[in-house]
Amino acid sequence: MSQQSLRRDTAERREAREIPPLAEARRITEKKRDAWWTVLLVDPVATPLVRQTALRTRITPNQITWGAFLLGLGSAACFALGDWRWLCLGAVIYHLSFILDCMDGKVARLTGQGSVFGAWLDFVFDRIRVMVCGVALMAGQYERTGDVTYVWLALAVVGLDTLRYINSLEIFKVRYTMRKQIKARVRAARRAENQAELAFMEDLLRENPEADVERDQAVGAGVPGEPEAFAGQVAAPVGAGLSGEGGAPAPARPSKQVIDLHQEFRHRFPAYLRARSFLLRHRIRTHLVSGVEFQMGVFILGPLFDAVIPATIVSGALLLVFELAIIYKLLLSTRDFTRTIDSFEQPVSAAA
């Protein structure tokens, strides 16, 4: 063996040793919360494959993204043929495509090869795959049955998928704007009165799924408290008591001040906290029917059971219900935001 080959072999073995064991790979690659379909039916297969891929190959995340996209096109070709046996094959291929689609991000996180362009490519290919598969599935069934309902369902699948991601993007922008304005107010208050560091209740609950729900409710209701999981982090809501009596500086506060922008939602739906904590402990997000479950209902369950129309209608209806729930939750959150912003003005008026 030449010296160059020996060096290359040594480098490959060194790279192989840098790939962590499976338990650590799970911690690095799996999201803290994800769709239940992904947690239960994809991650148990995808994560071991990700580790072996990183350990034994030089495949990049973008190459995996391309592979998932091509498999999705293969699934669409099967759907277009219309026969039930082809529908079953298309459903299996679609699920394999989705597993690959989950693997690209995991490989990126495990190997540090993630890129902004890769994220864009993944998003665009996902939308194209849903559009092509939706049209192909409904076109195949229309060709087989002549039922014009499938034409409307094709439009519904593409429209609902687009609505889901547009709504998600806009909600993210609104929440980002609210947080940005609150952080600006807190920074100004901290400069004036040496206020504590800022934290948001939803982040603390997400990072501490084992937190005691009853204590969470107390915090959500505006009662100062320190759940065990948040010990040393939680303080009274920001904006309350920015100055002491007679304009004197308020007493020293704990290390963080917590803002809960879902306080009104928690008051209206107290059972939500228990369900949320239970699901988070199993890495499942409370948005039980998102774009992932919608796709699985339309492109896997419907074709496998030869029930494309009912599966699409039920999946679309559930997607709309959960999207409306998110919009309603956002509405209540904006009210909490307004109250929080107003609370900054009250101590200033009192001092004046």
Side-chain angles (χ1 to χ4, degrees):
M1 180 181 293
S2 66
Q3 187 174 2
Q4 183 178 3
S5 299
L6 181 62
R7 285 198 301 268
R8 184 170 60 251
D9 184 61
T10 302
E12 290 176 353
R13 288 200 303 270
R14 184 170 60 250
E15 290 178 1
R17 286 196 298 270
E18 291 175 355
I19 302 300
L22 182 59
E24 180 67 10
R26 291 187 187 280
R27 187 191 66 80
I28 295 173
T29 63
E30 294 178 354
K31 298 177 182 177
K32 287 187 176 181
R33 59 174 184 165
D34 211 335
W36 65 264
W37 185 283
T38 303
V39 172
L40 300 178
L41 300 176
V42 176
D43 280 351
V45 176
T47 305
L49 286 177
V50 164
R51 184 176 180 275
Q52 292 301 317
T53 298
L55 192 64
R56 303 179 183 278
T57 73
R58 296 182 179 273
I59 296 177
T60 66
N62 286 351
Q63 290 171 339
I64 297 176
T65 302
W66 274 99
F69 177 66
L70 295 176
L71 270 181
L73 296 183
S75 176
C78 294
F79 289 151
L81 295 176
D83 183 75
W84 179 68
R85 288 169 294 184
W86 286 108
L87 290 183
C88 292
L89 180 60
V92 172
I93 295 176
Y94 194 91
H95 188 62
L96 294 176
S97 170
F98 186 74
I99 290 176
L100 276 184
D101 186 43
C102 292
M103 286 177 60
D104 56 6
K106 295 179 186 297
V107 170
R109 289 189 288 273
L110 188 62
T111 62
Q113 294 179 297
S115 66
V116 175
F117 178 77
W120 174 86
L121 189 70
D122 183 45
F123 177 82
V124 171
F125 277 1
D126 282 352
R127 306 286 64 75
I128 295 175
R129 179 180 60 183
V130 171
M131 180 181 67
V132 172
C133 286
V135 171
L137 176 62
M138 303 309 168
Q141 295 307 295
Y142 175 74
E143 181 69 21
R144 188 182 75 166
T145 64
D147 189 348
V148 74
T149 303
Y150 290 104
V151 177
W152 294 107
L153 287 180
L155 295 175
V157 169
V158 176
L160 285 173
D161 183 73
T162 303
L163 172 65
R164 155 68 184 146
Y165 282 94
I166 289 177
N167 187 43
S168 176
L169 177 61
E170 290 304 312
I171 287 178
F172 172 81
K173 288 167 61 177
V174 171
R175 288 177 174 171
Y176 175 79
T177 300
M178 291 192 297
R179 286 183 171 221
K180 185 177 180 180
Q181 292 187 29
I182 290 174
K183 287 179 179 179
R185 294 296 185 101
V186 170
R187 281 195 294 268
R190 189 187 307 162
R191 284 194 298 269
E193 302 186 26
N194 194 27
Q195 288 294 304
E197 185 182 350
L198 172 68
F200 288 91
M201 176 61 72
E202 58 184 306
D203 293 338
L204 295 177
L205 291 176
R206 184 181 302 119
E207 294 168 3
N208 298 273
E210 301 295 336
D212 185 85
V213 175
E214 300 299 330
R215 302 297 295 277
D216 295 347
Q217 288 176 320
V219 175
V223 179
E226 292 195 13
E228 185 177 349
F230 307 152
Q233 299 181 18
V234 178
V238 171
L242 291 179
S243 60
E245 187 177 355
R253 294 179 179 270
S255 60
K256 286 187 180 180
Q257 287 189 287
V258 178
I259 291 180
D260 187 2
L261 291 181
H262 298 292
Q263 182 172 328
E264 186 170 345
F265 183 83
R266 297 177 199 280
H267 285 172
R268 290 174 182 248
F269 305 98
Y272 169 80
L273 278 174
R274 294 186 180 278
R276 184 182 189 275
S277 297
F278 173 80
L279 292 173
L280 279 181
R281 283 195 291 270
H282 297 83
R283 297 199 305 111
I284 297 174
R285 62 191 180 196
T286 51
H287 191 185
L288 294 177
V289 181
S290 62
V292 173
E293 290 80 12
F294 173 68
Q295 292 178 45
M296 300 309 122
V298 174
F299 300 126
I300 294 181
L301 298 181
L304 283 178
F305 294 99
D306 198 17
V308 173
I309 290 179
T312 303
I313 292 175
V314 171
S315 299
L318 289 175
L319 178 68
L320 282 176
V321 167
F322 276 86
E323 290 303 304
L324 290 174
I326 289 178
I327 294 172
Y328 177 66
K329 187 178 180 182
L330 177 67
L331 172 63
L332 298 183
S333 181
T334 58
R335 295 175 182 175
D336 288 323
F337 166 75
T338 302
R339 284 192 290 268
T340 302
I341 291 295
D342 290 344
S343 70
F344 284 95
E345 306 300 332
Q346 295 171 3
V348 175
S349 301

